[in-house]
Amino acid sequence: MLNDKVILITGGTGSFGKKFTKRVLEQYNPKKIIIYSRDEYKQYLMQRQFQDYKEQMRYFLGDVRDKERFARACDGVDIIVHAAALKQVPAAEYNPLEAIKTNIDGARNIVDVAIDKNVEKVVALSTDKAVNPVNLYGATKMVSDKLFIAANAYVGAKNTNFSVVRYGNVSGSRGSVIPFFKTLIDEGATKLPITDMRMTRFWITLDEAVDLVIKAIAEARGGELFIHKCPSFKVTDLARAMLPDCELEDVGIRPGEKLHEVMITEEDSRSAYEYDDYYIIYPELEWWDNLEIEGGKKVDDRFRYASDNNSEWLTVEEIREALKHIDIVY
């Protein structure tokens, strides 16, 4: 599947890009992996990390906003994994046009270049915030998702197919609640702030996110939106797992923050199918030819997949054990 392929990762110096690169190099034999990103220092660090694979690694400085530069980087590329985005919610609210240029205009550039360059597959990373968005970041990612799915309608005679992978905050990722709590605990805090005592989240690891992208590369026929099945946890239980017997302070929900992560809405259920360890939302568009992947079961009408109505929950003890196996990024 990935053997002898040229793979380009946008935003490839991020946590996902590094983990994906490591997995592909260890388990497959790609012809080349191209890291396309803006930060020269992070590329330098990544070159050092993967110096044993330097014959297979390439590094392009560039921005997805720059269509000409991106087109140059895509010469000979077979697979694109699109992980680049402006993701910080308050920053997107304060700099809305910048978020639009990267998350929407950048997506459009990727679609156009991928078709022009005869790329075989494009898998774009999405977020729970794109579902019924309440902030600008989520709104831009919703548009981005629509662009990638609709792109399958105008590839013409080309064989390019586009799919999307959706998941919530990766456990321990930069900007998420785990490194925030860890910093407070390291500073000697005995009280942890909770924005709302009812808040829940999905637990997904970086390895599971990589698994889902590899599955999409292998199975997507164009237009699918893949969603990993994950356990849920209460943020109050996370606090107690990280700092037993701590006092919890209700500080109020932040602007643009949701009580629960939603992956599949009731409206999505009309075209959602359940598989062993993931769901797929298929496109409700005229060009879709009922190419559902075998083995799926249509979900019930009005089905909703969210962190507050999940069938699988982590206990405080299970959270404490799971924390031992994740990398916390500050």
Side-chain angles (χ1 to χ4, degrees):
M1 174 186 60
L2 299 179
N3 292 334
D4 204 35
K5 297 293 186 181
V6 178
I7 305 164
L8 183 145
I9 312 167
T10 70
T13 56
S15 299
F16 173 87
K18 288 186 288 187
K19 179 69 75 171
F20 180 83
T21 297
K22 184 174 186 290
R23 176 81 70 82
V24 172
L25 289 170
E26 289 177 348
Q27 297 185 359
Y28 301 91
N29 184 30
K31 182 177 181 180
K32 189 189 306 181
I33 296 179
I34 300 171
I35 303 300
Y36 186 86
S37 69
R38 300 178 302 172
D39 193 318
E40 60 181 321
Y41 181 63
K42 287 182 180 179
Q43 287 197 6
Y44 164 72
L45 294 178
M46 197 165 176
Q47 288 179 48
R48 294 184 62 185
Q49 179 181 352
F50 293 101
Q51 58 185 344
D52 291 340
Y53 299 94
K54 60 184 178 182
E55 296 302 319
Q56 292 168 284
M57 297 294 298
R58 300 290 185 274
Y59 300 87
F60 268 73
L61 284 173
D63 196 310
V64 293
R65 300 179 182 188
D66 186 343
K67 186 175 181 179
E68 183 178 356
R69 176 62 172 168
F70 186 66
R72 177 66 65 193
C74 284
D75 281 340
V77 167
D78 300 304
I79 298 166
I80 295 173
V81 177
H82 176 44
L86 289 183
K87 304 173 184 177
Q88 223 273 338
V89 171
E93 295 295 319
Y94 191 71
N95 305 277
L97 293 179
E98 298 305 304
I100 290 169
K101 289 175 183 176
T102 295
N103 297 350
I104 297 178
D105 295 343
R108 181 179 63 182
N109 289 340
I110 290 168
V111 167
D112 288 342
V113 170
I115 294 173
D116 291 344
K117 296 289 185 177
N118 293 303
V119 174
E120 295 174 12
K121 291 203 172 187
V122 178
V123 177
L125 273 56
S126 184
T127 168
D128 66 288
K129 296 175 181 63
V131 182
N132 294 335
V134 297
N135 53 57
L136 186 78
Y137 167 57
T140 60
K141 291 300 287 184
M142 180 192 72
V143 174
S144 173
D145 292 353
K146 298 288 187 183
L147 289 173
F148 283 111
I149 290 170
N152 293 280
Y154 53 90
V155 294
K158 304 290 182 66
N159 293 319
T160 307
N161 83 44
F162 300 85
S163 60
V164 176
V165 164
R166 176 184 291 165
Y167 52 83
N169 283 335
V170 172
S171 300
S173 61
R174 182 180 293 110
S176 64
V177 66
I178 293 175
F180 174 60
F181 281 171
K182 183 68 164 57
T183 298
L184 294 178
I185 293 168
D186 289 346
E187 292 172 352
T190 58
K191 178 190 301 185
L192 293 179
I194 307 293
T195 53
D196 192 293
M197 296 297 174
R198 300 166 293 172
M199 188 168 288
T200 63
R201 290 292 182 262
F202 285 111
W203 185 281
I204 184 170
T205 67
L206 202 51
D207 279 315
E208 289 171 330
V210 170
D211 289 341
L212 191 59
V213 170
I214 291 175
K215 185 177 292 292
I217 293 171
E219 299 184 1
R221 301 171 185 178
E224 302 93 338
L225 198 157
F226 292 77
I227 297 149
H228 199 284
K229 289 183 181 179
C230 308
S232 293
F233 67 93
K234 298 176 182 179
V235 175
T236 52
D237 285 345
L238 172 67
R240 294 186 179 102
M242 296 184 70
L243 187 61
D245 302 319
C246 66
E247 181 181 348
L248 304 179
E249 181 183 10
D250 192 339
V251 296
I253 200 163
R254 297 174 298 178
E257 188 175 32
K258 292 183 177 182
L259 274 179
H260 312 291
E261 289 182 333
V262 180
M263 298 293 185
I264 301 175
T265 66
E266 292 182 357
E267 290 73 24
D268 290 330
S269 69
R270 293 192 299 262
S271 57
Y273 282 70
E274 181 178 6
Y275 295 82
D276 288 343
D277 56 357
Y278 61 98
Y279 296 96
I280 293 179
I281 300 173
Y282 290 101
E284 290 187 298
L285 297 168
E286 292 180 0
W287 50 264
W288 179 255
D289 293 325
N290 297 318
L291 298 173
E292 288 85 2
I293 296 170
E294 293 182 2
K297 177 185 176 183
K298 177 75 172 60
V299 303
D300 295 334
D301 288 343
R302 316 310 295 173
F303 171 80
R304 173 177 173 271
Y305 186 50
S307 59
D308 64 324
N309 73 343
N310 201 357
S311 60
E312 184 179 358
W313 290 81
L314 296 177
T315 65
V316 172
E317 292 74 20
E318 288 170 333
I319 294 171
R320 190 172 295 128
E321 180 62 27
L323 286 167
K324 298 176 183 178
H325 306 286
I326 65 169
D327 296 322
I328 299 178
V329 184
Y330 296 93

